Structure formats: C-alpha cells, structure tokens
Amino acid sequence: MTTLQSPMLDAKLAHVRELLVRELPETPIEGDACLTCSFQAEDVLLLYLARELWSAIPVLFLDTGYHFPETYAYRDRIAADWKLNLTNLLPARTVTEQELEHGLLHQTAPDRCCALRKVEPLFSAVGSYRIWLTGLRREQARSRTSLEEIADFTLPSGIIVRKLSPFADWTARDIWQACVSYDIPLLPLYDVGYTSIGCKPCTSIPTDPNDPRSGRWAGRKVECGIHIQAAPNR
C-alpha cells in the first residue's frame, strides 16, 4: 500500500477502504454490487480501490454514443490494462436513430436526451444489484451538497439499492493527489482544461473557475438525472 505525504489524505483513504470492506461482501457473487464509471478521475480512483477487494467487480459505463473520442480511447485502455469486468450500457436507439426521430435533443431538449441515453439504461441495469458504488463528491456541484456516503436509493421501478459514495467529503485536490500517488493515468481531456467531462456536445471548458461543472450543458442544467431519485412507476 502506498503511503501518501498527507496524513489527512492517508486517513481519508483508510476510511474509504474500511467502508468498502464493511459494505462489500467478503465473497461477492453476481448481483451483489456494481460500480458506475464515467472514467473521470473520481470513478477511476474508486475503481482502483474497489478492485483491491474484488478484482472482477462489475463496472457499468453509459455509452451514450456522444462521448469524446478521447473518453472512448481511455476507457478501452483502462479496461484492457486493468482487465475490467466492463459492461457498456447502450440506449434503446442509436444516435442516428434518435436524431432521425427527434432531431438534436441535446440542443432542443437536453433533459429528454439524458433521460433516453443515460437515465433509462442506467436505472435498468442498476436494478439488478444490491449495492451501487459511485465516485460522487459534495464539492462537485450545488446539487450534491447534501450527498451522503451511504444512502438508500429508490429506482423508478420501486427497487431500492444501497448507494455508496465513499468520496463524498473529498476535494478535487484529494482525488488528484491520490491518483498521482498511485500512478493512475487520467483522461487526457483534463490536460486541456476540462474539469467535468460528459458527452462531447454538452461539455465545454468551464466558464466559472470556481464551478467545475459550469462547462456542462452550457449552464442550462447541472445534473443528467441518474443521481436523482424518481417517483416509482405506477
């Protein structure tokens, strides 16, 4: 185990490892837990730590069809190098099919686009697991300031999953220091100024240096919807 320069960061890492040991089953089986991964720094660091306990933990990636080429290349590199148990979650329609039917929803109705290409595929998949691991942090957005490390999350189907966000109180600096210490390669888009990276049409360099998500959806919204509990279907 690598020892970091900061005792506070060492303590935070120890806490995350303790949480994972406590919450993940000692001998995991299919359906126990999954980790959603956008291949941003937080998710990759969480994946690194979770794989210490369960090397074959199911990793879910929302393949919207709109990601940056760099994101796809980085995903494939990490998946190969780390031998990930990766599932690419696909929407019901391809990008071409959706655009032929609805036009450019990411411009005209971004909430609808996210619902079709992110929310529906993710919620359908996560419902097959008891535990859902995420790299969410409170610092990421105003909408996440009340984020809990452990919380029950109700899906539209009524299924309740145990949602773990071990980095809830971490700062961006914490994440970067840990990744550097463990020599984890990161998505190259960070090097050109991106701080929160989603689909290419809806992601830009942040407009507010104090808001890492100000480059998402041109400021029209702050969440895609996968971390918002929906009312159960009737």
Side-chain angles (χ1 to χ4, degrees):
M1 184 184 301
T2 302
T3 300
L4 302 174
Q5 295 300 312
S6 164
M8 182 176 295
L9 187 53
D10 281 337
K12 284 188 171 184
L13 279 162
H15 174 75
V16 170
R17 286 188 167 98
E18 290 167 4
L19 185 151
L20 293 175
V21 167
R22 184 176 69 247
E23 294 294 329
L24 292 179
E26 186 173 348
T27 307
I29 60 174
E30 183 177 355
D32 274 338
C34 68
L35 188 155
T36 49
C37 187
S38 66
F39 289 94
Q40 295 185 78
E42 295 86 355
D43 292 348
V44 176
L45 177 59
L46 181 58
L47 179 55
Y48 179 93
L49 298 173
R51 289 179 67 254
E52 293 177 345
L53 298 175
W54 186 5
S55 62
I57 187 168
V59 180
L60 307 182
F61 172 72
L62 279 169
D63 189 352
T64 65
Y66 281 120
H67 288 292
F68 287 87
E70 292 90 342
T71 300
Y72 285 118
Y74 176 76
R75 174 203 64 184
D76 294 344
R77 173 189 172 189
I78 295 297
D81 290 350
W82 292 8
K83 298 179 174 58
L84 298 184
N85 178 14
L86 176 68
T87 297
N88 295 306
L89 303 179
L90 298 171
R93 293 175 177 81
T94 67
V95 166
T96 299
E97 290 169 343
Q98 178 175 300
E99 291 184 355
L100 284 173
E101 183 173 354
H102 300 293
L104 300 179
L105 284 179
H106 56 80
Q107 293 181 2
T108 62
D111 282 343
R112 181 60 176 153
C113 190
C114 287
L116 293 172
R117 309 204 74 76
K118 290 186 174 184
V119 179
E120 291 177 8
L122 190 280
F123 282 177
S124 177
V126 166
S128 299
Y129 298 92
R130 292 191 304 105
I131 297 171
W132 172 16
L133 276 70
T134 83
L136 295 177
R137 298 185 295 110
R138 297 185 190 115
E139 186 191 66
Q140 289 171 324
R142 294 186 300 274
S143 55
R144 299 178 181 179
T145 54
S146 60
L147 176 70
E148 298 177 83
E149 278 191 349
I150 302 173
D152 288 338
F153 189 92
T154 303
L155 300 170
S157 62
I159 293 173
I160 298 174
V161 296
R162 190 169 176 83
K163 187 175 181 180
L164 308 183
S165 302
F167 297 145
D169 68 344
W170 282 47
T171 65
R173 182 179 177 84
D174 292 335
I175 296 293
W176 281 89
Q177 286 186 333
C179 288
V180 168
S181 176
Y182 293 129
D183 198 25
I184 298 173
L186 296 178
L187 186 56
L189 290 168
Y190 290 119
D191 294 335
V192 294
Y194 291 94
T195 54
S196 179
I197 303 163
C199 293
K200 184 176 181 179
C202 299
T203 302
S204 65
I205 304 295
T207 57
D208 179 353
N210 298 313
D211 181 357
R213 287 177 70 83
S214 61
R216 301 293 293 274
W217 299 289
R220 298 170 68 183
K221 62 177 190 163
V222 296
E223 295 285 356
C224 66
I226 62 174
H227 298 298
I228 299 171
Q229 300 195 62
N233 292 332
R234 300 295 182 186

